[in-house]
Amino acid sequence: MPEPGAIPKAAPLFRMRPVAEVYDWQNILIYGDYGAGKTYLAATSVLVPEMCDILYISLEGGEKALKEIVRLCRQRDVDPNKIMVVPVESYKQYSYIYEYLKIHVKARDNGDLDTLRKLESQVTGVPAADIKEPRQFRTVVSDSLTEAQKYCMYQILGIDPSSQKIDDEPDQAQFQDWGKSREMIQFLVRRYRDMPVHSIFVAGQDIEQDARKQFHYNPMLPGKLSNDVRGLVDTVGYLTKLTLEGGKIVRRLILEGGMYGGAHIAAKHRYGTKLKGLYIDDADMQTLYDLGLE
């Protein structure tokens, strides 16, 4: 029997490390209206060497918006194929990608290039022997979380989007179904957020009006899920396209929550005093990456 106060020899139930050794992986939610440039902003991570390679999870066919990034990469002599696109057609497929990434980042951190080659071969069809430098993902973009929630609800209701007839009336979601969906999406965001990668979530824009006729802008997620997800990530930015005096068009990323032009915009950040002002015009991921550094 061990003496009172003795430390057990079994494996510890937890580990600790100095705060200075904690790598600052960023987790960011970008939301806004269609055409605001959310996909473009997320994809500019390919221009940040420390964020490459990038896995772009396409849940709503937004990869067409990446053509602008491809052109920009060629102008700057950057390989656009540092972005790999995975079209997603079901929530289960989304979960498979997470399981794949768990194995991938472990091999990446162990310097296990053989396993990385095998993993890449499985999902690209390229023979492992032909892969000289396997991709090492450091950024994952989920575009969009709004669509992921819909796929989640389809799974709960037993709907297969690929085979559902367009004239079939699906079962209406019950109260408990919304509760399940809320928990599943929270779980998903936590898992991707806690993975050793930069996690970028994209979402649509929801506008609500309260009893005082005041507008509120939030990520497009049902019920309280919008608040839940905002609480799970470090940065929430609202992206909008504005025309300034003189006709100049800018993509404004608002990072400080509050009132703007008579509307309350949900936003937050943990960049502290490094962020000068309430927003960034024509922001890119290099700007956000630099803000996140010590």
Side-chain angles (χ1 to χ4, degrees):
M1 178 178 295
E3 297 180 4
I7 299 176
K9 294 183 179 180
L13 298 178
F14 60 88
R15 297 281 183 183
M16 65 176 68
R17 54 182 170 170
V19 66
E21 295 182 6
V22 178
Y23 189 86
D24 193 15
W25 298 103
Q26 294 211 41
N27 48 87
I28 302 170
L29 171 62
I30 303 167
Y31 76 100
D33 201 1
Y34 299 108
K38 303 183 296 295
T39 297
Y40 175 85
L41 172 55
T44 59
S45 51
V46 74
L47 304 176
V48 185
E50 295 86 352
M51 299 184 75
C52 293
D53 294 316
I54 292 90
L55 183 66
Y56 177 87
I57 304 174
S58 174
L59 293 117
E60 57 180 32
E63 65 267 26
K64 292 180 181 178
L66 296 176
K67 290 183 178 179
E68 188 176 355
I69 285 291
V70 172
R71 288 192 291 267
L72 185 59
C73 284
R74 289 171 178 164
Q75 291 172 8
R76 300 192 183 185
D77 197 25
V78 173
D79 182 6
N81 289 322
K82 288 183 177 293
I83 300 180
M84 293 295 287
V85 179
V86 181
V88 170
E89 299 178 349
S90 70
Y91 194 76
K92 188 174 291 294
Q93 191 177 25
Y94 196 9
S95 70
Y96 288 157
I97 296 171
Y98 169 76
E99 297 300 328
Y100 173 89
L101 281 169
K102 278 201 306 184
I103 302 171
H104 177 94
V105 296
K106 184 177 180 180
R108 180 202 69 190
D109 293 345
N110 289 336
D112 187 352
L113 299 184
D114 286 340
T115 296
L116 290 176
R117 289 188 184 95
K118 292 175 183 177
L119 288 169
E120 186 170 329
S121 176
Q122 290 174 2
V123 295
T124 63
V126 177
D130 294 342
I131 302 174
K132 295 181 179 180
E133 296 184 8
R135 290 173 176 81
Q136 300 186 44
F137 295 118
R138 291 182 172 83
T139 300
V140 179
V141 178
S142 295
D143 189 2
S144 72
L145 203 57
T146 301
E147 203 67 19
Q149 190 279 328
K150 293 178 183 177
Y151 279 125
C152 180
M153 186 59 77
Y154 289 155
Q155 178 171 305
I156 292 171
L157 296 177
I159 297 173
D160 182 355
S162 64
S163 61
Q164 177 82 3
K165 293 183 179 179
I166 60 174
D167 60 344
D168 282 351
E169 296 184 8
D171 293 334
Q172 191 168 13
Q174 303 300 312
F175 179 79
Q176 63 269 23
D177 297 325
W178 292 108
K180 291 178 183 178
S181 173
R182 179 182 176 186
E183 291 297 326
M184 290 172 71
I185 294 296
Q186 286 188 67
F187 187 69
L188 176 148
V189 173
R190 283 194 184 96
R191 284 299 183 90
Y192 275 91
R193 176 202 66 183
D194 294 340
M195 188 177 292
V197 294
H198 300 287
S199 297
I200 304 173
F201 302 96
V202 176
Q205 164 190 317
D206 187 32
I207 303 176
E208 294 183 352
Q209 191 174 33
D210 62 22
R212 295 177 296 175
K213 305 297 182 181
Q214 187 176 91
F215 289 101
H216 295 258
Y217 290 21
N218 292 287
M220 186 180 288
L221 293 166
K224 296 181 180 180
L225 182 58
S226 177
N227 290 334
D228 297 337
V229 170
R230 280 161 36 206
L232 292 173
V233 297
D234 292 332
T235 302
V236 178
Y238 171 69
L239 189 66
T240 185
K241 189 179 290 186
L242 299 174
T243 302
L244 305 181
E245 291 185 14
K248 181 182 179 182
I249 298 175
V250 299
R251 293 179 171 122
R252 177 163 294 178
L253 182 66
I254 298 174
L255 293 168
E256 194 75 50
M259 296 296 297
Y260 294 85
H264 184 276
I265 293 178
K268 73 171 190 177
H269 67 88
R270 292 180 180 171
Y271 299 130
T273 57
K274 292 188 69 175
L275 178 64
K276 309 301 181 183
L278 307 178
Y279 57 82
I280 303 172
D281 282 345
D282 293 330
D284 56 20
M285 289 309 302
Q286 182 71 68
T287 305
L288 298 181
Y289 177 82
D290 292 342
L291 284 170
L293 295 176
E294 292 183 2

